[in-house]
Amino acid sequence: MGSRKRNWSHGCEPETPTARDSSAFTRRRMSIPSRSSIKVVQQFVESGGCLLILARGGIARGVNTLAEQFDFQFDGTTLASPTNVDVRAETTARPLNRMVPFQMVHVGTALTDVGSATVLSCVPADSQAYFDSDSSSNREAAGNPVMAARTVGAGIVAAYGQVYDFQKPLLQVNRRDIVRNILNLFTAHTARSDSTRNQETATPDATT
């Protein structure tokens, strides 16, 4: 059995950098990542690691410094709804939508650029949600992605405009299921990568 890759989650907030490690999951919180730390993360993902980038409304610009290295960009302005502080987003692809047809985005933000990534959830096209800015005219948020993922090298990167699910995952069954599905996204990718590597190792080279 090969060595298990560690999942790496990055969330940028304007706080003193801290780190909490475990054998299966490492979380880094930093204001603005340095070039050297970004290079380490890129090498980690390209060699088969899994990276989850979390953001919320009012994020520090450091989160986009990292996200843009993987062709993602967060708007950064808080999503809001005329009737509720939470914004309803529809899950659009597996494994995120397994038993979870929608999610409630709490003090979250949206992605403005996902390139060719797979959109896993988005604000519905008919939503009245908006970006709650300090200006007199708020921008509409309908149709904006909230979570997306793409493969990078041998690894995978997911960008998610909400941190609340990971702060209070057990308060609501829906949030617990979302966290489970996000982790399943990574474990499924890791399992496929391991299977591919094992097949390549087991297959004799026809040129020898």
Side-chain angles (χ1 to χ4, degrees):
M1 180 181 295
S3 59
R4 179 177 297 176
K5 285 288 181 182
R6 179 174 288 182
N7 296 328
W8 197 343
S9 170
H10 175 88
C12 289
E13 300 177 9
E15 299 177 2
T16 303
T18 61
R20 179 172 58 85
D21 297 342
S22 70
S23 60
F25 187 80
T26 300
R27 185 179 181 211
R28 294 284 187 270
R29 178 182 293 170
M30 59 189 83
S31 54
I32 301 177
S34 65
R35 291 182 179 178
S36 59
S37 64
I38 288 176
K39 185 175 180 179
V40 169
V41 175
Q42 289 176 314
Q43 292 173 342
F44 166 81
V45 173
E46 290 172 358
S47 64
C50 303
L51 173 66
L52 174 61
I53 306 175
L54 301 174
R56 61 177 173 82
I59 59 171
R61 62 189 177 92
V63 70
N64 272 333
T65 302
L66 176 62
E68 288 168 0
Q69 306 305 310
F70 301 100
D71 295 327
F72 290 113
Q73 185 177 60
F74 292 100
D75 184 280
T77 308
T78 304
L79 287 171
S81 166
T83 58
N84 197 321
V85 67
D86 293 345
V87 172
R88 182 185 174 107
E90 295 178 344
T91 56
T92 56
R94 287 188 175 274
L96 192 63
N97 65 355
R98 182 174 179 270
M99 300 177 64
V100 183
F102 70 91
Q103 58 188 148
M104 301 305 294
V105 182
H106 179 76
V107 195
T109 189
L111 291 153
T112 58
D113 184 12
V114 299
S116 60
T118 299
V119 175
L120 300 175
S121 69
C122 67
V123 180
D126 59 353
S127 173
Q128 295 183 333
Y130 58 92
F131 291 104
D132 190 10
S133 63
D134 295 331
S135 63
S136 57
S137 58
N138 293 313
R139 294 172 292 123
E140 295 181 356
N144 280 76
V146 174
M147 184 176 182
R150 66 158 40 88
T151 56
V152 178
I156 186 171
V157 179
Y160 185 25
Q162 173 157 258
V163 301
Y164 187 71
D165 289 340
F166 289 85
Q167 294 174 332
K168 305 289 184 181
L170 299 181
L171 289 182
Q172 299 178 10
V173 173
N174 177 273
R175 296 192 185 280
R176 186 169 66 239
D177 290 341
I178 289 171
V179 171
R180 178 204 63 209
N181 289 351
I182 291 173
L183 295 178
N184 284 344
L185 171 71
F186 291 144
T187 55
H189 178 83
T190 301
R192 287 193 298 269
S193 297
D194 289 345
S195 176
T196 300
R197 282 194 294 269
N198 291 338
Q199 289 176 3
E200 291 174 348
T201 302
T203 302
D205 189 340
T207 62
T208 60

